[in-house]
Amino acid sequence: MPRSVLVVDDDPHIRQLLVFALGKAGFDTSEAADGEAALAAVEAGAPDLIVLDINMPRMDGLEVCRRVRAVGDTPVLFLSSRDDEIDRVVGIELGADDYVVKPFSPREVVARVQAILRRTGARAPVVTGPAIRHGRLALDLDGWRASWAEEDVALTLTEFSILRTLAAHPAKVFSRDAIIDRLHGPGFAITDRTIDSHIRNLRAKFAAAGAADLIETRAGIGYRLGSCTG
């Protein structure tokens, strides 16, 4: 079945442009003109991905993403009218999967959507594999579920993928570039700070569950899985 994409932007011209381009690429599309309408659309029927403008009146895209992330892990592609690193970092920290700056090419947005959904598609039941256990950490690779001391910890797709990469080779130190290559393939253009933001999110989520030693930082090198003993 076609994957569904919700396009959220207060500019009707941009919505029309993206709906046309995504529809031409084979996606089922819907649209919302503001944050409140976007949340209502998500509640009515969760899309496979949300293309979400940051700068909207009343409720901006960051708040929409925050609320979406509070209840699920629907992939989010942010749009912004300015290439502001603060917006970019905050968006990534909230769990956004990618970020495009206006003005953009509709073909670029479609390509980013397709790339995100290819990664999301890895959650389908055809992907199998054993669970990974390390100390109190457990990863169910079939169910894409993470837990600490038998208590589930809700993660985004990207967060789970990073943790799975580290847990599959617990003695190995991964550079940020190596983590990016594992997630997206060689040559994918995201910054080291993006990985740092995801690592902070992982540490914060597991710290709330009682984990103080989930991921170790090796200064000047990168990250590896911690002892996960609590």
Side-chain angles (χ1 to χ4, degrees), residues 82-100:
R82 62 184 190 275
D83 189 5
D84 190 322
E85 187 177 18
I86 293 176
D87 274 356
R88 186 186 301 272
V89 171
V90 170
I92 294 297
E93 288 178 343
L94 289 173
D97 294 86
D98 207 345
Y99 192 111
V100 176

Side-chain angles (χ1 to χ4, degrees), residues 130-191:
I132 295 177
R133 289 188 172 273
H134 185 79
R136 296 186 178 184
L137 172 69
L139 300 179
D140 175 2
L141 303 188
D142 288 343
W144 286 74
R145 293 173 57 245
S147 61
W148 179 268
E150 309 304 327
E151 294 294 328
D152 285 353
V153 178
L155 302 179
T156 68
L157 171 65
T158 301
E159 291 164 358
F160 185 93
S161 298
I162 291 173
L163 191 54
R164 180 184 61 181
T165 295
L166 299 179
H169 304 278
K172 180 175 180 177
V173 179
F174 285 86
S175 69
R176 293 167 179 82
D177 286 343
I179 293 174
I180 292 170
D181 289 349
R182 292 294 183 102
L183 296 180
H184 305 296
F188 194 86
I190 62 175
T191 67

